[in-house]
Amino acid sequence: MPIDMSPWQGRTDPEDGELGLRWHQQVKPADQANEGGIMLLGFACDEGVARNKGRTGAYAAPVAIRKALANLAWHHTEPVYDGGDISCNDGNLELAQHRLGEDVSRALRQRHKLIVFGGGHEVAWGTFQGIGSYLVQKQHVANPDDESVTEQADQPAPKIGIINFDAHFDLRNPPAGQQSEKGSSGTPFHQTARFCELQNWPFKYACLGLSRTSNTQALYAKADRLGVYYKDDTELTHQNMEQVTAELQAFIDQCDHLYLTIDLDVFPAAIAPGVSAPAARGVPYDIVEHLLQPILAAKNQEGESKILVADMAEYNPRFDIDNQTARLAARLAWTIARSIR
């Protein structure tokens, strides 16, 4: 299917030449990707939100975020490509997540960094499937004699640090019975933990901005069992920033790769009204921006960003006010894109 580039529209300032460019003038469809860069993918889906008994509307988020991003000033050096949307129109969330994982894995193999626009937070399980598939393949090498694929015995398990800015753990257990194989927007990191267990990989998960009123004691107990690093919204204050930043840096230093995921309901409803579950308190934008700095600055031994993929979840245009939340999501994408290269 051809990529729909119609959201990429905005102001032009030809009198300013190259210095006057905006995103809509620079983003190219994925089929024109002839070098590594940043790949944008959309996950048009709120089936997971519906299964989690939330208010739907996040399906329309990827296009709305692109429209908000389109008119922002271009201050980047990496090429940016739009890989289009994976859409869940038939209730088959598992298939949509699998398809997203395939696109993520393919883009990583092509040496792209990725930003994914959800969708509900079920996007995270699709994203992580792609990261997992990519890294599983990297653990194997081709045998030059018979061209078969054999596992490297000395290849260590990858340490993937998942950093989630979110009011919720999203560690829920799937329902019992016939629905036990079906996830939701509340289960992606339970599913990720299970994947890591089956691969014999460490599960390294940091969740920042939790609302204790929205997470049961059972979820906190499960997080403790899994060794999750977490901070409640009440702990993310200017007074605590030095300590929290040091702890976050220690988490980052233990990881080979990073997967950054931002659930927009981590922000106060006053600045992010257009989300599936608005926060009565939330974490101010400047605090989140401060904590993003060590994440975005993290480099591997080759001097490349440790971040493989960043995604955003739970933007719900149906409940937005004057595109306020769309602008917030676009600003986050703009900030991330300047760093992951």
Side-chain angles (χ1 to χ4, degrees), residues 33-72:
N34 51 18
E35 61 177 312
I38 295 171
M39 183 69 70
L40 306 177
L41 297 175
F43 188 66
C45 178
D46 51 20
E47 173 64 21
V49 176
R51 293 183 187 182
N52 203 30
K53 304 179 179 65
R55 56 183 192 172
T56 57
Y59 180 97
V63 169
I65 296 173
R66 286 183 178 93
K67 288 180 177 179
L69 184 57
N71 209 39
L72 297 189

Coordinates of all heavy atoms in Angstrom, one line a residue, residues 33-72:
A33 N 13.6 5.5 1.2 CA 14.6 5.4 2.2 C 15.9 4.8 1.6 O 15.9 3.5 1.4 CB 14.2 4.7 3.4
N34 N 16.8 5.6 1.2 CA 18.1 5.0 0.6 C 19.3 5.1 1.5 O 20.4 4.8 1.1 CB 18.4 5.7 -0.8 CG 18.4 7.2 -0.6 OD1 18.5 7.7 0.5 ND2 18.3 7.9 -1.8
E35 N 19.0 5.5 2.8 CA 20.1 5.5 3.8 C 19.4 5.5 5.1 O 18.2 5.7 5.3 CB 20.9 6.8 3.7 CG 20.1 8.1 3.9 CD 21.0 9.4 3.8 OE1 22.0 9.3 4.5 OE2 20.6 10.3 3.1
G36 N 20.2 5.1 6.1 CA 19.6 5.0 7.5 C 19.1 6.3 8.0 O 19.7 7.4 7.7
G37 N 18.1 6.3 8.8 CA 17.6 7.6 9.4 C 16.6 7.2 10.5 O 16.7 6.2 11.2
I38 N 15.6 8.1 10.6 CA 14.6 7.8 11.6 C 13.3 7.4 10.9 O 12.9 8.1 9.9 CB 14.3 9.1 12.4 CG1 15.5 9.4 13.3 CG2 13.0 8.9 13.3 CD1 15.4 10.8 14.0
M39 N 12.7 6.3 11.2 CA 11.5 5.8 10.6 C 10.3 6.0 11.6 O 10.4 5.7 12.7 CB 11.6 4.3 10.3 CG 10.4 3.7 9.6 SD 10.3 4.2 7.9 CE 11.7 3.4 7.1
L40 N 9.3 6.6 11.1 CA 8.1 6.9 11.8 C 7.1 5.8 11.4 O 6.8 5.5 10.2 CB 7.5 8.2 11.5 CG 8.4 9.4 11.7 CD1 7.6 10.7 11.3 CD2 8.9 9.6 13.1
L41 N 6.5 5.1 12.4 CA 5.4 4.1 12.2 C 4.2 4.5 13.0 O 4.4 5.1 14.1 CB 5.9 2.7 12.5 CG 7.1 2.1 11.7 CD1 7.5 0.8 12.4 CD2 6.7 2.0 10.3
G42 N 3.1 4.2 12.5 CA 1.8 4.4 13.2 C 1.2 3.1 13.6 O 1.2 2.1 12.8
F43 N 0.5 3.1 14.8 CA -0.2 1.9 15.2 C -1.6 2.4 15.5 O -1.9 2.9 16.6 CB 0.4 1.3 16.4 CG -0.2 -0.1 16.8 CD1 -0.1 -1.2 16.0 CD2 -0.8 -0.2 18.0 CE1 -0.6 -2.4 16.4 CE2 -1.4 -1.4 18.4 CZ -1.3 -2.5 17.6
A44 N -2.5 2.4 14.5 CA -3.9 2.9 14.6 C -4.7 1.8 15.3 O -5.2 0.9 14.6 CB -4.4 3.2 13.2
C45 N -4.9 1.9 16.6 CA -5.5 0.8 17.3 C -6.0 1.3 18.7 O -5.2 2.0 19.4 CB -4.5 -0.4 17.5 SG -5.1 -1.8 18.4
D46 N -7.2 0.9 19.1 CA -7.6 1.1 20.5 C -8.4 -0.2 20.9 O -9.1 -0.1 21.9 CB -8.4 2.3 20.7 CG -9.6 2.5 19.7 OD1 -10.0 1.5 19.1 OD2 -10.0 3.6 19.6
E47 N -8.1 -1.3 20.3 CA -8.7 -2.5 20.7 C -8.3 -2.9 22.1 O -9.0 -3.4 22.9 CB -8.4 -3.6 19.7 CG -8.8 -5.1 20.1 CD -10.3 -5.3 20.2 OE1 -11.0 -4.5 19.6 OE2 -10.7 -6.2 20.9
G48 N -7.0 -2.7 22.4 CA -6.5 -3.0 23.7 C -7.1 -2.1 24.8 O -7.3 -2.6 25.9
V49 N -7.4 -0.9 24.5 CA -8.0 0.0 25.4 C -9.5 -0.5 25.7 O -9.9 -0.5 26.8 CB -8.1 1.4 24.9 CG1 -8.9 2.4 25.8 CG2 -6.6 2.0 24.7
A50 N -10.2 -0.9 24.6 CA -11.5 -1.4 24.8 C -11.5 -2.7 25.6 O -12.4 -2.8 26.5 CB -12.1 -1.7 23.4
R51 N -10.5 -3.6 25.4 CA -10.5 -4.8 26.2 C -10.2 -4.5 27.7 O -10.5 -5.2 28.6 CB -9.4 -5.7 25.7 CG -9.7 -6.3 24.3 CD -8.5 -7.3 23.9 NE -8.7 -7.8 22.6 CZ -7.8 -8.6 22.0 NH1 -6.8 -9.1 22.7 NH2 -8.0 -9.0 20.8
N52 N -9.5 -3.3 27.9 CA -9.1 -2.9 29.3 C -10.2 -2.0 29.9 O -9.9 -1.4 30.9 CB -7.8 -2.2 29.2 CG -7.0 -2.2 30.6 OD1 -7.2 -3.1 31.4 ND2 -6.3 -1.2 30.8
K53 N -11.3 -2.0 29.2 CA -12.5 -1.2 29.7 C -12.2 0.3 29.8 O -12.8 1.0 30.7 CB -12.9 -1.8 31.1 CG -13.2 -3.3 31.1 CD -13.6 -3.7 32.5 CE -14.0 -5.2 32.5 NZ -12.9 -6.1 32.2
G54 N -11.4 0.8 28.9 CA -11.1 2.2 28.8 C -12.0 2.9 27.7 O -12.7 2.3 27.0
R55 N -11.8 4.2 27.6 CA -12.5 4.9 26.6 C -11.7 5.0 25.3 O -10.5 5.3 25.3 CB -12.9 6.3 27.1 CG -11.7 7.2 27.6 CD -12.2 8.5 28.1 NE -11.2 9.5 28.3 CZ -11.4 10.8 28.6 NH1 -12.6 11.2 28.8 NH2 -10.3 11.6 28.8
T56 N -12.4 4.6 24.2 CA -11.7 4.4 23.0 C -11.6 5.8 22.2 O -12.2 6.8 22.6 CB -12.4 3.4 22.1 OG1 -13.8 3.8 21.9 CG2 -12.4 2.0 22.7
G57 N -10.7 5.8 21.2 CA -10.5 7.0 20.4 C -9.0 7.1 20.0 O -8.7 7.9 19.1
A58 N -8.2 6.3 20.6 CA -6.7 6.4 20.3 C -6.4 5.9 18.9 O -5.3 6.1 18.4 CB -5.9 5.6 21.3
Y59 N -7.4 5.2 18.2 CA -7.2 4.7 16.9 C -6.7 5.9 15.9 O -5.9 5.7 15.0 CB -8.5 4.1 16.3 CG -8.4 3.5 14.9 CD1 -8.1 2.2 14.7 CD2 -8.6 4.4 13.8 CE1 -8.1 1.7 13.4 CE2 -8.5 3.9 12.5 CZ -8.2 2.5 12.3 OH -8.2 2.0 11.1
A60 N -7.3 7.1 16.2 CA -7.0 8.2 15.3 C -5.8 9.0 15.6 O -5.4 10.0 15.0 CB -8.2 9.2 15.3
A61 N -5.0 8.5 16.6 CA -3.9 9.3 17.1 C -2.7 9.4 16.1 O -2.2 10.5 16.0 CB -3.4 8.7 18.4
P62 N -2.3 8.4 15.4 CA -1.1 8.5 14.6 C -1.2 9.6 13.5 O -0.3 10.4 13.4 CB -1.0 7.1 13.9 CG -1.6 6.2 14.9 CD -2.8 7.0 15.5
V63 N -2.4 9.7 12.9 CA -2.5 10.8 11.9 C -2.5 12.2 12.6 O -1.9 13.1 12.1 CB -3.8 10.6 11.1 CG1 -4.2 11.8 10.3 CG2 -3.7 9.4 10.2
A64 N -3.2 12.3 13.7 CA -3.3 13.6 14.4 C -1.9 14.0 14.9 O -1.6 15.2 14.9 CB -4.2 13.4 15.6
I65 N -1.1 13.1 15.4 CA 0.3 13.5 15.8 C 1.1 13.9 14.6 O 1.9 14.9 14.7 CB 1.0 12.3 16.5 CG1 0.2 11.9 17.8 CG2 2.4 12.6 16.9 CD1 0.7 10.7 18.5
R66 N 1.0 13.2 13.5 CA 1.7 13.6 12.3 C 1.3 15.1 11.9 O 2.2 15.9 11.5 CB 1.4 12.7 11.1 CG 2.1 11.3 11.2 CD 1.8 10.6 9.9 NE 2.4 9.3 9.9 CZ 1.8 8.1 10.3 NH1 0.6 8.2 10.9 NH2 2.5 7.0 10.2
K67 N 0.0 15.4 11.9 CA -0.4 16.7 11.6 C 0.2 17.8 12.5 O 0.5 18.9 12.0 CB -2.0 16.8 11.6 CG -2.6 16.0 10.4 CD -4.1 16.1 10.5 CE -4.8 15.4 9.3 NZ -6.3 15.4 9.4
A68 N 0.3 17.5 13.8 CA 0.8 18.4 14.7 C 2.3 18.6 14.5 O 2.9 19.7 14.7 CB 0.5 18.0 16.1
L69 N 3.0 17.5 14.1 CA 4.4 17.5 13.9 C 4.8 18.2 12.6 O 5.9 18.8 12.5 CB 5.0 16.1 14.0 CG 6.4 15.8 13.9 CD1 7.2 16.5 15.0 CD2 6.7 14.3 14.0
A70 N 3.9 18.1 11.6 CA 4.2 18.6 10.3 C 4.7 20.0 10.2 O 5.6 20.3 9.4 CB 3.0 18.4 9.4
N71 N 4.2 20.9 11.0 CA 4.5 22.3 10.9 C 5.6 22.8 11.8 O 5.9 23.9 11.8 CB 3.2 23.1 11.1 CG 3.2 24.4 10.4 OD1 3.6 24.5 9.2 ND2 2.7 25.5 11.0
L72 N 6.2 21.8 12.6 CA 7.3 22.2 13.4 C 8.6 22.5 12.7 O 8.8 21.9 11.6 CB 7.5 21.1 14.5 CG 6.4 20.9 15.5 CD1 6.8 19.9 16.6 CD2 5.8 22.1 16.1

